[in-house]
């Protein structure tokens, strides 16, 4: 995934689901990430055309939402975004002055909560290629990144979060809030344990960790679908090829772009 310079596929998928959910006419169940729709344009959607969410923006909203793959994803993102937004606000109001977003993907909180976070250092952590792509999209779609955001590249399977944080200017004496949204299920156990150890070692008392995780059943389900892990990309393509072969000749999926 990293070698080809393309962004993480799952980071596009989740942002696309937030973007589509932000078009919901009923404000009571609308995804609050109104900036995702500006970040995820035709070029990004072209990377995920094999998922129904990739085509949803071209369809009538209500009609697209009748597809279980679309509404299930959009509602999952609604709950996730709102829940984490609310707890992040509480942590910052409670005194956290550093916000660390692990596997940030196309997270827009530093922009959406610019006023609340103006005195908070925001450190976005992700694969370098995903970050570079995101920085270009932010510049093109949202303008200058706020001065308080630092982009720090990492591969959780190879690098220590503690070192990456120190290089990014993180101060362990300051109360912090960590967001780990949609990430733990893609990082092998050893890398995730190391990351959690670093958080425990680096954090001042009263810091907050907002961590989304799957139970074993959820993880088993996930292995049936392509993920950010190169092995799962191959698995996902193999599954699509098998499905296409069952569907008949001439229906093979386009060859892998390297993003799953
Ligand atoms: C499902 S996306 C979630 C992105 C964002 N947090 C969201 O909720 O939209 C998973 C993110 O984890 C990052 N990620 C996965 N494995 C990683 C690794 N080993 N090192 C660094 N980042 C990783 C991907 O680049 C991607 O941005």
């Amino acid at each position: 995934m990293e070698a080809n310079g393309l962004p993480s596929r799952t980071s596009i998928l989740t942002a696309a689901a937030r973007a589509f959910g932000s078009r919901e006419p009923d404000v009571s169940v609308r995804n609050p990430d109104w900036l995702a729709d500006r970040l995820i344009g035709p070029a990004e959607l072209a990377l995920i055309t094999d998922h129904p969410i990739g085509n949803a923006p071209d369809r009538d909203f209500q009609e697209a939402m009748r597809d279980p793959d679309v509404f299930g994803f959009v509602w999952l993102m609604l709950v996730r975004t709102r829940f984490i937004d609310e707890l992040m606000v509480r942590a910052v109001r409670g005194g956290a002055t550093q916000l660390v977003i692990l596997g940030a993907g196309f997270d827009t909180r530093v922009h959406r909560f610019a006023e609340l976070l103006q005195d908070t250092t925001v450190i976005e952590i992700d694969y370098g290629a995903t970050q570079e792509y995101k920085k270009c999209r932010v510049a093109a779609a949202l303008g200058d990144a706020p001065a308080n955001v630092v982009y720090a590249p990492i591969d959780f399977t190879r690098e220590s979060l503690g070192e990456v944080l120190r290089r990014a200017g993180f101060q362990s004496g300051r109360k912090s809030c960590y967001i780990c949204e949609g990430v733990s299920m893609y990082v092998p156990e050893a890398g995730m344990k190391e990351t959690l150890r670093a958080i425990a070692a680096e954090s001042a008392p009263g810091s907050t960790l907002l961590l989304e995780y799957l139970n074993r059943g959820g993880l088993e389900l996930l292995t049936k679908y392509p993920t950010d892990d190169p092995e799962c990309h191959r698995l996902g393509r193999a599954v699509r090829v098998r499905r296409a072969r069952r569907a008949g000749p001439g229906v093979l999926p386009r060859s892998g772009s390297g993003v799953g």
Side-chain angles (χ1 to χ4, degrees), residues 102 176-180 196 199 207-211:
L102 304 161
S176 301
C177 172
Y178 300 83
I179 295 176
C180 188
L196 292 174
I199 290 174
S207 294
T208 302
L209 168 62
L210 305 174
L211 169 76

Side-chain angles (χ1 to χ4, degrees), residues 8 10 14 18 80 103-105 126-127 154-156 181-182 186 228:
S8 137
T10 59
T14 49
R18 289 194 295 271
R80 214 162 97 163
D126 209 324
Y127 277 129
I154 197 172
D155 179 344
F156 291 116
E181 177 184 10
Y186 299 113
D228 274 346

Side-chain angles (χ1 to χ4, degrees), residues 123-163:
I123 304 178
E124 292 201 4
I125 309 255
D126 209 324
Y127 277 129
T130 297
Q131 273 186 342
E132 290 309 311
Y133 190 99
K134 180 192 186 170
K135 284 196 262 179
C136 291
R137 275 307 294 155
V138 165
L142 309 181
D144 289 342
N148 57 326
V149 66
V150 178
Y151 297 100
I154 197 172
D155 179 344
F156 291 116
T157 64
R158 293 165 196 270
E159 291 165 280
S160 141
L161 176 65
E163 273 172 34

Side-chain angles (χ1 to χ4, degrees), residues 115-127:
E115 205 178 319
L116 174 81
L117 296 174
Q118 61 187 339
D119 298 322
T120 302
T121 304
V122 180
I123 304 178
E124 292 201 4
I125 309 255
D126 209 324
Y127 277 129

